[in-house]
Amino acid sequence: MDNVSIGLALVAGILSFISPCVLPLVPAYIGYMGGRLTHNVSRQTAAGSAASVNLALRLQMLLHGIAFVLGFTIVFVLIGLFTTALSSLAGQHVSTFTEILGRVGGLVIIFFGFQFMGLMPRFFNWLRKKGQAGILDNILFSIGFAIAASVLLYWAFLEQIAAALPLIAALVIALYVKGAFSEPAAFWHGALERLESMLYSDTRADIGGSGREGLLGSTFMGMVFSAGWTPCIGPLLGTILTVAAASGATSGDIAQGMLLLAAYSIGLGIPFIITALLMNSAGGLLRRLQRHMRKIELLSGSLLIAIGILVASGQLQSLSQTFSRGEFADFTFRVEECGVGFFDGELGLSHVGACLGGSLIPVAINQSASGVFAPNTPEQEFLFHAKAGMMIDVEVRGINEAVPDFELILFDPADAELARANKADSIESDERLYPLTRIELPSDGLYRVALRNAAATAAASRFRVKVREAQAIEAPAASSPSEPADANAGETPPADDAMNSFTDIAAELAPAFGLAEGNRAPEFTIETLDDDIVALADLRGRVVLLNFWGTWCGPCRREMPEFQKAYEQWNAQGFDILAIAYNDTEEAMAAFRDEYDLTFPLALDGTGEINDAYGIQTRPSSYLLDRDGVILARHFGIMTESQLSELLDEALAQA
């Protein structure tokens, strides 16, 4: 998956629609589109024009669906670029932008809810009656409005007076210039007429089938929902973000990253557009239920108001992360891994079901994958794509315990048995078992490996197919402490230019602080789970991997065992890991540490300040720092053992 095409990015986006983390976005979208549909049908029914606008309504729903997708595509691409390719300019401010957009947009969604409920005309009439009673003629009404609007602006801009003050000043000046304080009656009656005209012209456009004004609202809704949603970062999306980061850091050509992110977002949007078309069939049902239309309007508007509250309070994103935990997380990862693997030719159609079920795992050459043996799951299968003439070794090792007795069978692309071995046949090297070595593959295609637990006992293991040179694996000779046995000798790393090469570090003694490769990483201090206070400056002189993760993050669970292995292997040579969680609890982190037997420091960023400083929008995300605290590489998504080993080989070799 190192070479991502536009087509694969599009497919990954489509597959993301059925991932659990998108679930909160679906009812929000249906709530908005359903409210708009109910609103339009109600107006058409009242105008007696239902029969003449059926086709126009279908076209209108399609256009609003496209506008919604365009809105979240714009924000998704911009966020992706700002947190990767343009991180040195805006990466640290993306979280602030999305939170402001969420708060402002949540208020707008609530307003739409009241409009779809049909309460706005009643509110306007109530204001006019108050105006006749002298309320609107009173300057105190204008002052009260200015104060209330200022408080909302202050809240919408995260209680940051420096950010809200210019807008508050502009609002007060505009009210003054327009006569809200000198001639309040004329100002407020005129403002009500203009607002009503805008809303009713939108309604008339809806009935007539144009809906151009309403399209802007749908586009804005898409932008708002994207600010309150975090995509599940699968293997391909992680690669896309890393490509964007690498292109921006090296050549400044971010066109490839923009195209890939846009293709992914459009792919995600295709099911939303189809949903909008399918909702047209509800129009006829709503007309048949026109005597209950008022109740339907109230229900759809109330749903939209509830969604607006979720967006404004930031709970929609938390809900998205909730659906990314536990079993949901593994399923989310498999959806993209298996779906993209099929479209990329790495999986056959007959393998997709087993892959989604978790009993068959697609792996790349040199990329390890975990398998869990249990009495009810005594067999795990792995699938990899290889070329004719390639010579491989098959590696098996335990996770935190010895590997039980096993039998391993390698099948060729025709599903004929190519080789067989068991634990007793294996060569042991650096706590790794090699049941098969020097196996030359006869043809191009998909090879399958069945790993069977002969003892039928519960155990966790890792599996890897390694391409190698012609020399045989031999038991390692005793090595000096400064030169540990290299279990990766002879393997060829994957062609991942984004992760396996470094940008030339500037020659200055004190590089500028920033998030791009070659910048000095932002400083921080944090308390670990062991109650130790760690400052980034204290780690000078050592190579440091900063990993941003969460116990709820499925891909994080896959890479943590790799990090532990690397930490054990390289720590004595000057390598440290600091894993920083967010939106988590210390109890969940402690249980996670015990489950995976992690020994490197874990810390909780309770306020999110460190995550914001590093522009973290997706997890896992990793920064590798050299001995001077300068960023050598950034990676989004799972970092494989071979990728990390290649980076460490070069980083630790530097003086």
Side-chain angles (χ1 to χ4, degrees), residues 272-474:
F272 284 100
I273 295 173
I274 295 174
T275 301
L277 290 175
L278 293 176
M279 291 181 68
N280 286 322
S281 59
L285 176 62
L286 290 174
R287 293 188 187 96
R288 290 192 293 272
L289 297 174
Q290 56 183 304
R291 59 180 167 177
H292 302 291
M293 187 60 71
R294 181 59 187 154
K295 295 179 181 177
I296 296 173
E297 282 185 325
L298 291 174
L299 180 61
S300 61
S302 299
L303 175 61
L304 206 58
I305 291 171
I307 293 170
I309 294 173
L310 286 175
V311 172
S313 63
Q315 292 304 306
L316 184 66
Q317 186 171 14
S318 296
L319 195 59
S320 176
Q321 292 178 347
T322 298
F323 279 96
S324 301
R325 300 174 190 260
E327 295 180 1
F328 284 133
D330 291 333
F331 176 74
T332 294
F333 189 83
R334 290 199 302 270
V335 165
E336 182 180 318
E337 185 178 49
C338 302
V340 172
F342 170 72
F343 284 98
D344 198 27
E346 298 294 330
L347 282 177
L349 181 60
S350 61
H351 303 125
V352 173
C355 180
L356 289 173
S359 60
L360 184 147
I361 302 175
V363 296
I365 298 291
N366 296 322
Q367 178 184 17
S368 61
S370 61
V372 179
F373 287 137
N376 59 338
T377 56
E379 180 175 321
Q380 189 79 52
E381 292 191 326
F382 303 89
L383 201 70
F384 65 95
H385 188 276
K387 299 289 187 180
M390 183 178 290
M391 187 169 291
I392 64 166
D393 299 323
V394 176
E395 171 193 300
V396 179
R397 63 180 173 87
I399 300 178
N400 304 328
E401 56 186 303
V403 180
D405 291 338
F406 64 83
E407 183 180 41
L408 184 146
I409 306 174
L410 173 64
F411 297 91
D412 67 14
D415 217 27
E417 182 176 323
L418 184 62
R420 178 188 295 256
N422 55 40
K423 182 177 181 180
D425 298 326
S426 302
I427 297 174
E428 184 173 357
S429 176
D430 192 27
E431 299 182 359
R432 292 167 166 85
L433 300 176
Y434 292 89
L436 298 178
T437 60
R438 298 176 56 85
I439 302 296
E440 186 172 351
L441 304 180
S443 59
D444 295 352
L446 292 170
Y447 289 80
R448 180 169 59 92
V449 176
L451 185 61
R452 297 169 180 169
N453 182 354
T457 56
S461 63
R462 298 195 74 76
F463 168 90
R464 180 164 61 164
V465 176
K466 301 170 61 174
V467 67
R468 55 166 291 154
E469 298 175 357
Q471 73 269 21
I473 296 264
E474 296 179 357

